[in-house]
Amino acid sequence: MLYHSTRSKSYTADSAQAVLNGLAPDGGLYVPASLPTLDVAACLKGSTMDMATDIIGAFLPDIPEMDTLVKKAYTGKFETEELTPTVDTGKFTVLELFRGPTSAFKDVALCMLPQLLTKAKTVKGQKEDILILTATSGDTGKAALAGFCNVDGVRICVFYPDGGVSKVQRAQMVTQEGNNVYVCAVEGNFDDAQTGVKNIFAAAENGVLPGGKGHRLSTANSINIGRLAPQVTYYFKAYADLLHRGVIKMGEQVNFSVPTGNFGDILAGYLAKKLGLPVGKLICASNANNVLTDFIQTGTYDRRRPLLKTISPSMDILVSSNLERLLYLLSGDTELVASLMGQLNKDGFYTVPEDLKAAIDAEFWAGCCDDAQARKTIAKVFREQNYLCDTHTAAGWAVAEEYTEKTGDTRPMVVLSTASPYKFPAAVLSALENADGMDEWAQMERLEALTGVPVPKNLQGLQTKKELHTTVIPKEEMLPFVTAL
Ligand SMILES: *Cc1c(COP(=O)(O)O)cnc(C)c1O
């Protein structure tokens, strides 16, 4: 199946090559030249892994043996065979995306990506080993390490800002086992780490570092179509659950509220709708970094504002890369997308034409939720629904409530839950009671005692696990660090 860049139809690749390349040569993102078709009713009858096989296979038909790859990716890695369970809270349905090996929604895609990459490498006859480089503000790093750990032909190196991630997140990364994983702290903030990674890519010729060991460089971030396709599955899974519970009949529409950062999660919902799933409104929930709220409400995307540090760090973002894919999918106009992205790069903002704004309005709704409101929401949902949610999910819940109140829309609402509350124990506990003067490990224990919600296995006993990766380097030394791997 043919993919091309969002910025030009002349940069094409088949689906296997698109997974290997990640980004198109002109800086655009790969989009399918025409969307695949799927027998939705048949797909909804299968297990979650059957759905994944059908859906990922439909998007990536040039990668063979999809059923085997899906089984390898997911079997035994999640808390439940259904991978992404739903919970009827009495108000909204919560779609729990955090039951994977690192308790973050990114596991759904990052368990699958290594299988897709290594198979694509075989199909395309690429001989060199792959070296994945990732800068992380916390969640992506651990999910990528767990996904790529001990995968043949691939090595992975994660950089995180020294002192810039939570204790739980640091412990998750520095205790990572595996013969092909490297973790390194960088003196500086997340932007320093990210810029360092970009500089390493810039120093490479044809993806290979001069003086390095001949690996082909690649990334695990959510611009890769191989990360997006696996996320479409859980929209189908949630819909199937509502059918089984008798909440809806086949064909009735369901709304989804999505805590959003890079726009990958919610874009997967739009792709599910394009495949024929009866999706109603897609509700884009942001935190105080409300660039997307402003964009969806006004049609102007403006990144010229400070980046705020919030209690939902995975949504602290000013440029949402996957939005570019939506602009193309709704307009079909690569020249327009190239021009808007050029303006964003040069001037820091752009405004979409009227017809594109109208197309966005038809599918999306947006709202934002600051830290104070997120804390209030965590407390309220726990009190009224006896459901404990994390800080990102709280934003999704709060904006879903705002949407329902403002529009009177009565279609069933699914709130996507993107992290375990135990990944952010300080913020979650402080929403329920005073949590001052405790370290994160004590806060986890207290949260469990207070709520009765068990700490996920992978987060238990982290503080006593052996630290395997303790290197800290100045940002100038990132390139030599990687060359020596
Ligand atoms: C990555 C992440 C998000 C945002 O998802 P996008 O696909 O980047 O929009 C939300 N919540 C959590 C916990 C995440 O890790």
Side-chain angles (χ1 to χ4, degrees):
M1 191 166 91
L2 203 63
Y3 278 72
H4 62 72
S5 165
T6 43
R7 302 183 192 181
S8 159
K9 286 187 178 159
S10 52
Y11 287 105
T12 58
D14 71 23
S15 56
Q17 193 66 49
V19 168
L20 276 182
N21 291 1
L23 205 63
D26 61 348
L29 276 58
Y30 284 111
V31 278
S34 61
L35 282 162
T37 52
L38 186 78
D39 182 342
V40 172
C43 179
L44 286 168
K45 293 202 176 87
S47 68
T48 312
M49 286 204 231
D50 294 338
M51 292 183 203
T53 304
D54 288 353
I55 292 166
I56 307 170
F59 279 104
L60 308 173
D62 308 292
I63 299 181
E65 298 164 44
M66 194 56 76
D67 53 342
T68 312
L69 300 184
V70 165
K71 287 199 185 92
K72 261 190 170 164
Y74 292 127
T75 306
K77 299 236 187 95
F78 281 62
E79 285 176 44
T80 140
E81 278 284 295
E82 31 165 9
L83 309 182
T84 53
T86 54
V87 178
D88 176 4
T89 66
K91 185 167 185 178
F92 302 140
T93 297
V94 176
L95 170 56
E96 296 189 334
L97 304 178
F98 60 83
R99 299 291 180 186
T102 79
S103 302
F105 114 90
K106 292 184 172 63
D107 287 330
V108 177
L110 283 167
C111 284
M112 195 65 216
L113 183 64
Q115 303 302 329
L116 297 174
L117 260 183
T118 47
K119 184 59 90 181
K121 188 168 164 258
T122 312
V123 171
K124 290 290 158 190
Q126 183 182 308
K127 296 280 184 302
E128 306 98 326
D129 279 2
I130 294 174
L131 174 60
I132 305 272
L133 297 180
T134 298
T136 184
S137 55
D139 268 7
T140 305
K142 177 61 185 185
L145 287 166
F148 282 98
C149 159
N150 294 336
V151 171
D152 284 343
V154 183
R155 300 214 254 169
I156 173 160
C157 177
V158 169
F159 293 102
Y160 70 92
D162 192 27
V165 301
S166 79
K167 267 199 171 156
V168 175
Q169 289 174 320
R170 178 181 176 276
Q172 279 190 298
M173 290 190 280
V174 302
T175 60
Q176 176 68 46
E177 294 171 7
N179 57 25
N180 62 337
V181 302
Y182 308 87
V183 180
C184 180
V186 178
E187 294 165 358
N189 59 24
F190 171 66
D191 280 335
D192 294 320
Q194 176 132 34
T195 306
V197 167
K198 283 189 185 150
N199 291 342
I200 296 170
F201 276 90
E205 285 159 35
N206 245 334
V208 179
L209 280 176
K213 306 265 165 66
H215 310 100
R216 188 70 70 98
L217 299 183
S218 185
T219 90
N221 71 24
S222 72
I223 48 150
N224 195 312
I225 189 70
R227 256 191 75 173
L228 203 52
Q231 296 180 179
V232 177
T233 306
Y234 48 71
Y235 287 88
F236 280 72
K237 164 66 168 64
Y239 193 89
D241 283 1
L242 293 183
L243 278 175
H244 291 149
R245 283 187 204 134
V247 176
I248 49 168
K249 292 199 194 66
M250 185 62 202
E252 287 178 3
Q253 289 190 332
V254 174
N255 298 325
F256 291 89
S257 180
V258 189
T260 298
N262 223 355
F263 213 77
D265 197 355
I266 194 167
L267 186 71
Y270 179 67
L271 291 174
K273 188 170 187 174
K274 296 304 276 182
L275 285 184
L277 190 72
V279 173
K281 275 278 187 232
L282 288 160
I283 292 144
C284 174
S286 299
N287 61 23
N289 293 295
N290 56 0
V291 164
L292 284 167
T293 315
D294 291 349
F295 171 66
I296 291 172
Q297 289 178 356
T298 68
T300 297
Y301 194 101
D302 191 344
R303 68 163 163 79
R304 297 169 302 173
R305 58 183 89 194
L307 180 67
L308 308 172
K309 223 173 139 60
T310 73
I311 57 171
S312 43
S314 298
M315 293 153 67
D316 291 348
I317 195 159
L318 290 179
V319 177
S320 289
S321 340
N322 270 299
L323 185 63
E324 179 171 348
R325 281 198 170 101
L326 180 72
L327 298 177
Y328 172 76
L329 291 168
L330 289 175
S331 71
D333 186 343
T334 51
E335 269 175 43
L336 173 68
V337 176
S339 144
L340 296 176
M341 292 304 118
Q343 284 173 48
L344 182 63
N345 199 18
K346 186 166 138 283
D347 307 324
F349 74 102
Y350 62 80
T351 300
V352 298
E354 288 286 314
D355 52 343
L356 181 47
K357 169 73 171 79
I360 294 168
D361 284 343
E363 308 283 358
F364 293 87
W365 197 88
C368 54
C369 168
D370 66 14
D371 283 357
Q373 200 190 348
R375 285 200 170 90
K376 262 205 204 137
T377 304
I378 290 169
K380 192 180 98 160
V381 175
F382 187 65
R383 202 173 55 237
E384 293 177 2
Q385 259 70 45
N386 196 27
Y387 186 82
L388 184 67
C389 69
D390 96 296
T391 50
H392 303 74
T393 309
W397 186 288
V399 175
E401 276 187 333
E402 186 193 346
Y403 170 79
T404 311
E405 278 157 24
K406 286 195 172 154
T407 63
D409 187 340
T410 56
R411 290 173 288 188
M413 175 74 76
V414 175
V415 175
L416 276 62
S417 178
T418 49
S420 160
Y422 288 101
K423 288 201 83 169
F424 307 96
V428 174
L429 182 60
S430 73
L432 302 179
E433 66 175 25
N434 187 344
D436 295 349
M438 295 173 159
D439 76 4
E440 280 188 27
W441 310 114
Q443 287 165 337
M444 268 171 125
E445 251 177 59
R446 174 61 194 151
L447 195 55
E448 186 174 45
L450 181 69
T451 63
V453 176
V455 177
K457 270 218 180 67
N458 78 77
L459 298 177
Q460 288 171 13
L462 262 182
Q463 69 271 42
T464 54
K465 264 185 142 182
K466 190 168 162 40
E467 294 194 356
L468 304 167
H469 312 272
T470 51
T471 311
V472 184
I473 59 172
K475 59 187 182 199
E476 295 75 22
E477 280 172 33
M478 289 172 66
L479 178 60
F481 183 88
V482 168
T483 313
L485 292 181

